[in-house]
Every structure is written in C-alpha cells, then in structure tokens.
Amino acid sequence: MNIQVHAPRLMLVGGGAVGQVGELLGRLGLSRPLVVTDPFMLSSGLLRHCLDPLEAAGIAAGVFSDTVPEPTDVVVEAGVRALQAGRYDCLIGFGGGSPIDTAKAMAILAAGGGRMADYKVPASADHAALPVIAIPTTAGTGTEATRFTVITDTARDEKMLIAGLAALPLAAIVDYRLTFTVPPRTTADTGVDSLTHALEAFVSRRANPFSDALARSAMALIGRHLRPAYAEPRNEAAREGMMLGATQAGMAFCNSSVALVHGMSRPIGAHFHVPHGLSNAMLLPAVTRFSLNDALPRYAEAARLVGCAAPGDADQLAGAKLAEGLEALNRDLAVPTPAAFGIDPVAWNAKKALMADQALASGSPANNPRVPAHEEIVRLYDAVWSG
Ligand SMILES: NC(=O)c1ccc[n+]([C@@H]2O[C@H](COP(=O)([O-])OP(=O)(O)OC[C@H]3O[C@@H](n4cnc5c(N)ncnc54)[C@H](O)[C@@H]3O)[C@@H](O)[C@H]2O)c1
Ligand SMILES: [Fe+2]
C-alpha cells in the first residue's frame, strides 16, 4: 500500500512551548506576522501568551481579531483586506479551530484570488500561499496538523470543506497550558470532536497503518483524559493528555479521512449554528450503531482502547459497549439533543432532506464503513432529534 503522509514541517509540543514562538519564526526565516484570533482571546488577555514572546524577540506583529465561531467567507474576505493592508510574511492562527481555520483560508484566498467557494472540494487548494503557524488553544480540532479548513458560505448556509497543501500549516505550537482556561462546555465539545476524528480515521475506508497508529494512540489518550479535563479544568495531566490526543487525532484523519459523523455534522452547524464538536457529539452514538456491523473488529478495538470494553470482550460485545459508552459519555458531558439545544422542530424537519444532500455532497459519508443512502441519512437525523 502506498500512503501519502502530510504533517507540518515542525511542531513544538509541550507546556510553555508558546514562549518559543519568536525563535520559531526566526528558524523559519519569518519576521512580519499577522496574528489571527478571536475577540475573546484579545479581551481576556490570553493573546498576550503569543504577543509577549514575539515582542521579547523584537518582532512587531499585526493583529486581526475579528474571527467568528465557525468562520464565514465574509470574515475571511475581511481578513484578506487586513492582510493586504500590511507587509506581512506569515500568518499566526492563535485560538480554537475557528481562528486557525480563518488564517488558513486567508492564506489561500490572498494567494489565489477569487471567492472562497472556488476552493471547496473536489477542488484541491495546493497553490503556494503565505505560511501559517498554528497555535491551538482548544483540544481540539487538530487543525494545526491538517490540510483542511472549513468555511461557511454565508449566501448558501453551507459549511465548505477546503482541502490541499495550502491549508497545511508550515509549523505548529502545541502547548497544553493554553487550554487551562477553556470552560467545561467547550472542553467537552472540542474533546468529542477529537474523539470523533480518531474513531472516524480508524474505521474509514481510507485508514492505513500510518493513520492507525496515531488514531489508536489518540483514542487511548482521549478515553482516559476527557472526563477529568471536563471536571477539573486545571488538571495538568488531563489537559496534557487531551492536547496530545487532539493533535494526534488531527494527524490521523488528515492522513485517512473523517466519515459519516462529520458529513452529517457540518450541515447542522451551518443551518442551526451548533458548535462543531457538539453537533458531532449529538450524532456519534447513533452513527456508530448504524455503522458497527460493517467494521466490527475495528469498532471493537476502539471500544477497548477508549476504555468502554474489557480487553477480553469478544468483538460483538465490545462493539455494543462502544455505542453504550458513547451514550454514557454524552450524558456525563451534558450533551443536549438537537431538540433540547432549542432547534426549531419545523425547521429541522424542513431542512433534513437538504442536510442529507449536503452531507453526501461533502464526500465524507463515502468513507464510512457502511455507506448510507439518502433516506438512511434522513432517518438518522430523525433518530437523533430527541434521543
Ligand atoms: N480544519 C480542520 O481540520 C478542522 C477540524 C475540526 C474542526 N474544524 C473547525 O474548527 C472550528 C471549531 O473550533 P473549536 O471547536 O476549537 O472552537 P472555536 O475556535 O470556535 O472556539 C470556541 C470558543 O472557545 C473559546 N476559547 C478558545 N480557546 C480558549 C481558551 N484557551 N480559554 C478560554 N476560551 C477559549 C473561543 O473564544 C470560543 O468562544 C469549526 O469551525 C470547525 O469546523 C476544523
Ligand atoms: Fe471535527
């Protein structure tokens, strides 16, 4: 089997690593960064973790802090204008997946021109772009290590998947100490996003020995550390384990793929503004049950790795325990159903056929062990509505 492996050129991993951001730029021959972040990172002072070491290294950075959760083409275009107004030689994405994905999309659009929609899959955004250095503060999307960015087309309410070498950061700083301040709700949502990345990479039709190793490690780390990180925000071991697991899960799906959960999750996010990890969590148990028997040995191994099943459990039992374990995880992390989240039932029913169209069009369901028909996706949207 021939495998293509994508990863950033350099990653600094560990507590306090963000303090080396100035030296990192120096090693890469860069000196004029535009830092892309969100308003909370700026107002809370968390951005100082990035700006202080840059200043100490004598680097004057610009700041674009207008990113929004689940970034849009409109915000990316505003970011490109800010980028073109200065003489920058790189972008630093600092924050959760939203600012980092915005920085990636700005680099792509600034270099290639046109509209964001021109770059969505099946197009491949491989053209040279300004280098992006990614510094995640959630654990997390794994976007610091992936060749993807997800941008909402505001006119069409569609979350577009954009893939290619131009979306792969040149370097990343993975510093778990930046996540101590993440509130429990976001810890849960981003943690389930990571778990979904690892599990989907592992059961995907595009799984391979390289992605498998990363997915296995990520599932074990996340299975062990997600609940403690949710319950005790300053639990150092839990935060460190989650950050490592999130980045490994990102590398796993970047070199394999995501599958049906992500395919169905993006339309929920686009139409109903549900945070990405939360819409994954709403779907994960039901989609796992739907897919289980088409990759039973893989799901069973996943169950043992995340700690839902005992090492000696036979595959059928371990698989069943995985679905139950994911339901229990949702209860422990207080994950609401779409109904309990407050989505309008009339709008949900009116949109579900379109959401199934958009899920299929993204290509992700085709990587699932059980490839669903349109009406099966609609039935899954029905099944998760109120649990
Ligand atoms: N490109 C990829 O490979 C990839 C993979 C998965 C998800 N995504 C995308 O990532 C986005 C979601 O990213 P996210 O889940 O990290 O959420 P986010 O970036 O939207 O952040 C969520 C909230 O957490 C806050 N926050 C972030 N770091 C914090 C910290 N250290 N302390 C306190 N608060 C903090 C933010 O200000 C924000 O309010 C979505 O747009 C999703 O589509 C991309
Ligand atoms: Fe995700």
Side-chain angles (χ1 to χ4, degrees), residues 38-41 44 46 67-71 94-101 104 136-152 159 161-162 167 177-183 186 189-190 193 197 250 253-254 262 266 275-277 280:
D38 70 29
F40 175 76
M41 290 288 141
S44 64
L46 288 165
T67 69
V68 294
E70 322 293 313
F94 182 86
S98 300
I100 296 174
D101 274 14
K104 292 177 170 191
T137 63
T138 60
T141 65
T143 186
E144 66 277 9
T146 76
R147 62 190 162 87
F148 306 110
T149 175
V150 183
I151 302 296
T152 298
K159 268 188 134 184
L161 178 63
I162 293 148
R177 288 196 192 144
L178 294 171
T179 65
F180 285 147
T181 48
V182 180
T186 304
D189 296 347
T190 53
D193 188 25
H197 293 156
F253 89 82
C254 175
H262 272 78
R266 289 185 212 102
H276 172 71
N280 283 344

Side-chain angles (χ1 to χ4, degrees), residues 10 25 30 79 99 111 114 135 155 160 177 197 271 278 295 307 357 364 371:
L10 178 62
L25 289 197
L30 302 167
I135 309 180
M160 301 179 288
R177 288 196 192 144
H197 293 156
H271 293 287
L278 190 57
D357 288 341
S364 298
V371 179

Side-chain angles (χ1 to χ4, degrees), residues 75-299:
V75 170
V76 173
E77 285 163 15
V80 168
R81 287 194 293 277
L83 179 64
Q84 289 170 341
R87 289 183 56 252
Y88 300 107
D89 63 3
C90 62
L91 291 155
I92 298 179
F94 182 86
S98 300
I100 296 174
D101 274 14
T102 306
K104 292 177 170 191
M106 284 165 58
I108 291 169
L109 196 61
R115 310 289 307 270
M116 215 59 246
D118 301 339
Y119 299 96
K120 74 174 177 181
V121 292
S124 187
D126 289 324
H127 58 280
L130 275 190
V132 173
I133 288 90
I135 309 180
T137 63
T138 60
T141 65
T143 186
E144 66 277 9
T146 76
R147 62 190 162 87
F148 306 110
T149 175
V150 183
I151 302 296
T152 298
D153 181 335
T154 3
R156 304 183 56 233
D157 266 349
E158 181 192 346
K159 268 188 134 184
M160 301 179 288
L161 178 63
I162 293 148
L165 291 178
L168 181 66
L170 178 69
I173 299 181
V174 182
D175 181 345
Y176 68 87
R177 288 196 192 144
L178 294 171
T179 65
F180 285 147
T181 48
V182 180
R185 179 75 266 136
T186 304
T187 300
D189 296 347
T190 53
V192 175
D193 188 25
S194 311
L195 179 60
T196 310
H197 293 156
L199 180 61
E200 295 211 290
F202 193 61
V203 301
S204 165
R205 289 167 180 257
R206 294 166 68 180
N208 58 72
F210 187 89
S211 59
D212 285 350
L214 291 158
R216 285 191 177 98
S217 173
M219 284 189 282
L221 284 163
I222 297 163
R224 179 159 167 214
H225 293 295
L226 177 51
R227 282 183 175 89
Y230 174 72
E232 308 158 44
R234 298 200 74 87
N235 181 321
E236 182 127 5
R239 291 298 197 182
E240 184 169 18
M242 282 306 299
M243 197 59 148
L244 188 58
T247 300
Q248 289 185 338
M251 295 180 77
F253 89 82
C254 175
N255 293 296
S256 169
S257 78
V258 287
L260 182 55
V261 177
H262 272 78
M264 290 181 62
S265 172
R266 289 185 212 102
I268 298 178
H271 293 287
F272 300 110
H273 306 288
V274 180
H276 172 71
L278 190 57
S279 50
N280 283 344
M282 290 168 173
L283 294 161
L284 185 57
V287 171
T288 300
R289 273 191 205 287
F290 172 82
S291 312
L292 208 53
N293 284 327
D294 288 63
L296 191 58
R298 289 249 149 186
Y299 281 109

